[in-house]
Amino acid sequence: TGVQQQFVVTQAHPGGAGVVQISPAIITAGPMQTVTLATTNAAAGIQVAGVANTANGLSMLYHKSAFAFATADLVMPRGVDFSARQVFDGISMRIVRQYDINSDRFPCRLDVLYGYRTLRPQLACRLACN
């Protein structure tokens, strides 16, 4: 893919010679290949990302009842060239088109009136991906 694979050291290593336990496993060939082997050990390199015992990625973990998102129907204007309103998956959207005599154009507006709120903060948290 041209993107470097990230590996995580899963067990403390005392240093020196030995095997470092990592995840995911190294796969050197096939459709699930995770590494390209260098022709010499001198060409192989390790880039350290982050600091030990520090979260390097945060995710959100929440129940679907933790947050609310709502839309409302907007007023349908009269005396315009075209107007319509549709509701899809609970999201109400309005389009209005009107002729502009000054510029000889038909500008269009596409609007959504929405709001969101945290209803139950105890059902959501940030998850450190260590």
Side-chain angles (χ1 to χ4, degrees):
T1 63
V3 177
Q4 291 185 350
Q5 171 71 46
Q6 287 194 0
F7 296 92
V8 177
V9 176
T10 59
Q11 293 180 2
H13 183 66
V19 177
V20 176
Q21 300 297 320
I22 63 170
S23 177
I26 291 177
I27 302 170
T28 59
M32 304 301 286
Q33 181 176 351
T34 57
V35 298
T36 302
L37 295 177
T39 55
T40 65
N41 285 340
I46 296 174
Q47 295 177 348
V48 177
V51 180
N53 300 320
T54 302
N56 71 4
L58 292 174
S59 298
M60 290 291 296
L61 179 66
Y62 58 91
H63 188 273
K64 64 182 181 178
S65 300
F67 305 104
F69 176 81
T71 63
D73 291 340
L74 289 162
V75 175
M76 296 299 293
R78 295 182 182 172
V80 295
D81 174 61
F82 171 79
S83 66
R85 179 174 51 223
Q86 287 285 326
V87 178
F88 181 75
D89 283 345
I91 299 174
S92 178
M93 188 177 294
R94 175 189 74 177
I95 186 168
V96 178
R97 183 175 70 184
Q98 176 62 33
Y99 178 70
D100 181 2
I101 194 168
N102 295 322
S103 63
D104 196 28
R105 293 185 181 178
F106 278 97
C108 251
R109 286 184 58 112
L110 188 62
D111 300 301
V112 176
L113 178 61
Y114 70 93
Y116 56 91
R117 184 175 183 133
T118 302
L119 298 178
R120 295 180 181 92
Q122 67 274 19
L123 297 180
C125 67
R126 290 191 318 171
L127 180 65
C129 303
N130 243 3

